[in-house]
Amino acid sequence: MNFELTEEQKLFADSVRRFALAHLEKDALKRAHTSRYPFEVAQLMAGQGLMGITIPEADGGVGGTLMDAVIAIEQVAAVCPRSADVVQFGNFGPIRAFAEHGTAQQKARWLPDLLSGRMVMSLGMSEPGAGSAVTDLVTSAKPDGSHYVINGSKVFSTFSPDAAIFLIYVRYGPGLSGIGSVIVERDTPGFNIGQPSAFMSGEQWCELHFDKCRIPAENILLGPGGFKKQMSSFNVERIGNATRSLAFGRYAYNTAREHAMTREQFGRPLCEFQGLQWKFAEMAIKLEAAQLLLYRAATNADRGLPSAYETAVAKAACNVTGFEVASEALQTMGATGYSRETLVEYCMRRCRGWMIAGGSVEILKNRIAEHIFDRRFDQRPSRKAEAAE
Ligand SMILES: Cc1cc2nc3c(=O)[nH]c(=O)nc-3n(C[C@H](O)[C@H](O)[C@H](O)COP(=O)(O)OP(=O)(O)OC[C@H]3O[C@@H](n4cnc5c(N)ncnc54)[C@H](O)[C@@H]3O)c2cc1C
């Protein structure tokens, strides 16, 4: 067992760090407070080989490992937290499921623009009536000659104001086996995108409405029965989400550490007060522990797809750690931490969202409990009880 990065991984981390310091550090504060997708950063990253890290070279990607992509997020986030979203959307987000399951024709059509940073893809999974219970989704796809007709609505899709294409979870028929996914282009007739709303983090999302929206059959990504495949690719998205949580917590911690060494009160630096030393010690323990869980899930990923259990453990640990550490870091900086002059408050707000997005901490704990007891716990009311009423 080795807890160190390999020489190759260290070299890669150094090169990403140098790139980030040279190109992303200057406007890090401004970028964090801009809600739109930073296409200029995406194009810079494409030039640096940071888009499609885990996508095969044959598809225009880099052909690297999931761990390489994790390292890229960590190094970028350490310099410019907001830019880590680009690493996410260029590697871990809907693009990963698309590259995994897309046909040669679909990939030839959209991957070049996605990997060059000229285009971003948004994920439409959640619906007004289907959040944690995602399999309750009702957005339907019905065949009609050479087309499919989509009807329904989606909510909370990140970067929907900027996306040119959308990966939409749909229902072809009843039950779990009726779920799959399609690609919808922004300007398709019958696809209406609502006005942007904002999350607490400042990120924007729009309601997506499909009203007799006709898409060609070539835009089917996964047909009926595709849900399980979709979810195994979604575990990659969860790793990216976990990595950003941890990296943002670490960014806040490092900023607070510098502050505690330089800010003086009562005639001595803050780091000399034991009450604060213990806060930092606790933050360090949490960060180190969550990092090992994250690296385990990413390193053990088979064919780039991590195990559902290891992903759930890593994401729950990183989500909670990122938020708790960012919040404690803010506390140790007083009003400076609470102010928008540093990115500590931003890191805390972003980390809070990841405790909900991509499988909330509670839903992950349900998954972990199933592993512990080696049985499935149906979250729905029992049919027997319903029948007796
Ligand atoms: C920052 C952010 C970005 C997002 N980006 C996207 C995106 O790009 N695309 C997209 O489709 N969606 C996106 N979402 C939506 C996200 O997937 C949902 O918010 C999530 O699935 C939870 O659904 P919900 O918000 O409807 O909460 P609900 O499902 O209504 O849950 C409410 C609360 O109840 C808890 N809960 C629910 N069921 C159980 C249970 N069985 N056991 C224990 N606790 C339970 C939940 O954990 C939560 O705390 C995003 C959300 C956030 C916050």
Side-chain angles (χ1 to χ4, degrees):
M1 196 177 286
N2 187 351
F3 291 100
E4 291 289 310
L5 295 182
T6 64
E7 279 312 307
E8 211 180 326
Q9 287 168 335
K10 281 185 197 159
L11 285 173
F12 176 61
D14 276 355
S15 77
V16 180
R17 176 92 175 174
R18 275 187 272 111
F19 160 79
L21 286 170
H23 299 284
L24 305 175
E25 188 180 32
K26 189 168 145 274
D27 288 325
L29 192 64
K30 189 167 113 202
R31 225 172 264 124
H33 299 301
T34 307
S35 60
R36 307 306 293 262
Y37 185 73
F39 283 103
E40 73 293 350
V41 171
Q43 282 155 30
L44 272 177
M45 285 192 184
Q48 189 68 17
L50 297 179
M51 305 289 272
I53 294 172
T54 63
I55 292 174
E57 284 173 277
D59 288 333
V62 178
T65 64
L66 188 57
M67 191 58 206
D68 293 333
V70 165
I71 291 171
I73 289 202
E74 287 182 334
Q75 294 301 325
V76 167
V79 175
C80 175
R82 175 64 162 165
S83 294
D85 292 346
V86 177
V87 188
Q88 172 80 11
F89 273 75
N91 294 281
F92 297 84
I95 192 175
R96 187 65 172 76
F98 177 71
E100 185 83 16
H101 307 297
T103 62
Q105 192 197 9
Q106 289 169 342
K107 289 195 269 190
R109 180 154 175 212
W110 287 303
L111 268 183
D113 278 344
L114 290 167
L115 291 174
S116 64
R118 290 192 296 271
M119 182 190 270
V120 68
M121 179 189 265
S122 181
L123 174 68
M125 180 174 65
S126 308
E127 297 186 0
S132 301
V134 66
T135 54
D136 284 357
L137 67 90
V138 294
T139 296
S140 61
K142 300 266 179 250
D144 181 23
S146 60
H147 283 67
Y148 276 74
V149 180
I150 316 293
N151 279 295
S153 298
K154 298 286 176 182
V155 284
F156 303 137
S157 297
T158 306
F159 289 128
S160 39
D162 299 298
I165 57 171
F166 295 75
L167 195 167
I168 303 293
Y169 281 39
V170 291
R171 178 169 290 294
Y172 299 101
L176 194 64
S177 60
I179 300 176
S181 54
V182 298
I183 303 296
V184 184
E185 292 180 271
R186 190 177 188 91
D187 53 6
T188 310
F191 177 24
N192 302 308
I193 302 179
Q195 286 305 309
S197 300
F199 288 123
M200 172 184 173
S201 56
E203 298 163 279
Q204 292 185 338
W205 60 273
C206 306
E207 285 186 14
L208 310 178
H209 299 288
F210 303 92
D211 182 15
K212 298 193 197 105
C213 171
R214 281 168 65 79
I215 57 160
E218 299 90 79
N219 285 19
I220 300 292
L221 184 65
L222 284 165
F227 184 71
K228 285 198 174 145
K229 284 189 191 163
Q230 192 85 51
M231 286 320 276
S232 32
S233 312
F234 194 60
N235 281 325
V236 176
E237 176 145 10
R238 287 179 164 164
I239 292 288
N241 169 316
T243 310
R244 281 182 298 164
S245 293
L246 195 65
F248 280 46
R250 197 176 280 285
Y251 184 100
Y253 164 88
N254 284 332
T255 309
R257 180 177 166 274
E258 287 296 316
H259 184 82
M261 290 193 294
T262 47
R263 164 85 171 159
E264 292 195 359
Q265 285 297 281
F266 301 99
R268 56 203 302 201
L270 292 178
C271 68
E272 291 185 7
F273 298 116
Q274 192 179 51
L276 293 189
Q277 289 168 5
W278 285 12
K279 278 187 192 290
F280 278 94
E282 278 165 21
M283 287 190 255
I285 293 167
K286 287 179 184 172
L287 288 169
E288 301 272 12
Q291 180 132 39
L292 290 176
L293 293 171
L294 174 65
Y295 282 7
R296 178 182 73 166
T299 306
N300 287 346
D302 176 31
R303 286 190 321 106
L305 298 179
S307 99
Y309 170 70
E310 289 186 355
T311 302
V313 172
K315 182 176 181 292
C318 291
N319 287 162
V320 173
T321 295
F323 175 68
E324 287 181 355
V325 168
S327 179
E328 276 296 76
L330 186 154
Q331 184 69 18
T332 65
M333 292 177 69
T336 305
Y338 194 60
S339 137
R340 287 184 142 210
E341 305 310 313
T342 79
L343 285 174
V344 172
E345 59 81 35
Y346 169 75
C347 289
M348 191 194 79
R349 286 186 284 120
R350 290 299 306 274
C351 287
R352 189 67 189 82
W354 290 316
M355 293 169 77
I356 299 168
S360 68
V361 170
E362 292 78 19
I363 294 299
L364 296 171
K365 286 181 181 170
N366 290 346
R367 176 69 190 76
I368 295 166
E370 292 188 335
H371 180 90
I372 295 169
F373 296 107
D374 196 20
R375 55 173 280 205
R376 202 168 169 274
F377 295 108
D378 196 345
Q379 303 296 309
R380 296 169 199 284
S382 109
R383 289 190 176 74
K384 261 192 252 158
E386 272 179 2
E389 277 171 14

